[in-house]
Amino acid sequence: MADAKVIPFGEEPRSRRKGQRQGRAHRAQGPLKPVPQQRDEERGQRAETLAAAAATPPLPPHDPPGGGAPAGGWERRLAHGLSFLRRRVTGEYEVDDFGYDEDLTDQVLMSLLRPMYEKYFRVEVKGIENIPESGGALVVANHSGVLPLDGLMLQVAVHDHHPADRHLRLLAADLVFVLPVINELARKLGHTLACAEDAQLLLERGEVVGVMPEGFKGIGKPFSERYKLQRFGRGGFVSTALRAGAPIVPCSIVGAEEIYPMIGNAKTLARLLGFPYFPVTPTFPWLGPLGGVPLPTKWTIQFGEPIPTDSYPPEAADDPMLMFNLTDQVRETIQHTLYKLLVQRRSVFF
């Protein structure tokens, strides 16, 4: 563009004005004779100017003048959104036999959970590479926090940070699937009933399955017992892993215990409502709905080294002593990691 000539609007080119001045001077002397060589040179200059302008690459449509961040991010998001809506309207998406909707999870549900994960709880993930890149694996984690937000944050951690873009399929309690709205959302997110048959089927399909063996005993324990693991049931998760030959990945979550400090349990009200417990915290139920806002604690999720199970014979799944030993090994690994993370953290909130 260096050779291009800019002509202000309403102003004639200098060459034309020069030619007019020459014309006026020659009219006094006689008729102006044409100069073919001069015209050819002017045509050549105009051709070179047009060629230079055509060869200059245009600015990228999304780059603002003077540099800076791309300005077309909203256009790409809009395009993705319209593409998602088209798939939902035309039915071009898949839902498996457990109700898992991967398209809805990736495009909508994870986008809703991600601000809480990144900005509110500021989750730090360690050892994500311990989850295999392919094949079935059973992630076993501690459970806490009055409401099961730790399970949701665990799903986001695997979804967003695993190098192989794996998805975590959580095993949930019966109560989740009888609550309106919650039931549908849990199915769409890939949750399934916490039973051995469903877990084994998912593992055999090569899915990453998540289980929290403490159940309601862990999530509803008082604040005074925070980070003290409750009993891991009868070790059914170990039996399931043995039958599927899937490795067991211990997982420790620090930070969820303090989001709702549970200082009491209204057991009578819990029985009337059909809940396993009814929490009483410093803010709930005293502040009403505002008391349901979790405290913005700083979280750490650490995945431990996997414990292989494919070396055991098929009948090992029925060996109660082996199941007890493996269950105790997983529990002690999680508990030891919890204590180590608690020593390392500077503050509950930072």
Side-chain angles (χ1 to χ4, degrees), residues 19 22-23 25-27 29-39:
Q22 293 176 350
H26 283 284
R27 276 196 297 269
Q29 302 174 1
L32 181 65
K33 298 180 180 180
V35 185
Q37 183 178 1
Q38 182 179 358
R39 292 177 181 176

Side-chain angles (χ1 to χ4, degrees), residues 185-236:
L185 289 177
R187 290 288 186 187
K188 298 295 185 183
L189 270 168
H191 300 182
T192 187
L193 191 63
C195 64
E197 292 78 9
D198 286 358
Q200 183 175 345
L201 182 58
L202 288 172
L203 289 174
E204 290 174 348
R205 290 182 180 181
E207 300 281 358
V208 179
V209 180
V211 62
M212 296 175 167
E214 292 177 280
F216 291 123
K217 300 187 301 295
I219 197 174
K221 63 177 177 287
F223 187 67
S224 60
E225 298 181 13
R226 59 191 180 279
Y227 297 115
K228 295 179 181 178
L229 293 183
Q230 305 299 301
R231 190 171 64 91
F232 269 22
R234 300 178 181 178

Side-chain angles (χ1 to χ4, degrees), residues 112-287:
L112 296 176
L113 293 172
R114 195 168 289 118
M116 178 179 290
Y117 174 91
E118 294 179 348
K119 305 299 183 182
Y120 198 78
F121 293 134
R122 295 147 291 146
V123 182
E124 179 183 0
V125 179
K126 300 179 179 180
I128 189 68
E129 67 278 0
N130 287 320
I131 298 179
E133 293 189 359
S134 62
L138 184 66
V139 176
V140 182
N142 59 304
H143 206 13
S144 61
V146 176
L147 293 181
L149 296 180
D150 52 356
L152 298 177
M153 297 301 102
L154 186 61
Q155 273 194 283
V156 180
V158 176
H159 182 277
D160 287 2
H161 295 280
H162 197 277
D165 297 327
R166 306 213 64 181
H167 296 75
L168 182 68
R169 307 291 297 272
L170 280 176
L171 303 180
D174 300 0
L175 179 61
V176 173
F177 300 105
V178 299
L179 296 175
V181 182
I182 300 296
N183 170 28
E184 291 297 325
L185 289 177
R187 290 288 186 187
K188 298 295 185 183
L189 270 168
H191 300 182
T192 187
L193 191 63
C195 64
E197 292 78 9
D198 286 358
Q200 183 175 345
L201 182 58
L202 288 172
L203 289 174
E204 290 174 348
R205 290 182 180 181
E207 300 281 358
V208 179
V209 180
V211 62
M212 296 175 167
E214 292 177 280
F216 291 123
K217 300 187 301 295
I219 197 174
K221 63 177 177 287
F223 187 67
S224 60
E225 298 181 13
R226 59 191 180 279
Y227 297 115
K228 295 179 181 178
L229 293 183
Q230 305 299 301
R231 190 171 64 91
F232 269 22
R234 300 178 181 178
F237 68 91
V238 171
S239 176
T240 302
L242 287 170
R243 295 182 190 280
I248 301 173
V249 181
C251 178
S252 302
I253 305 174
V254 166
E257 294 275 15
E258 295 91 359
I259 60 174
Y260 297 111
M262 185 171 168
I263 58 177
N265 181 12
K267 296 182 179 179
T268 302
L269 187 56
R271 284 195 296 269
L272 291 175
L273 296 175
F275 294 159
Y277 56 88
F278 190 88
V280 177
T281 73
T283 58
F284 183 83
W286 325 115
L287 299 182

Side-chain angles (χ1 to χ4, degrees), residues 1-23:
M1 296 294 292
D3 297 329
K5 298 179 181 179
V6 179
I7 302 174
F9 181 77
E11 183 177 349
E12 294 180 336
R14 294 181 180 178
S15 59
R16 184 179 301 176
R17 293 201 303 270
K18 183 178 179 181
Q20 290 176 350
R21 287 196 298 268
Q22 293 176 350

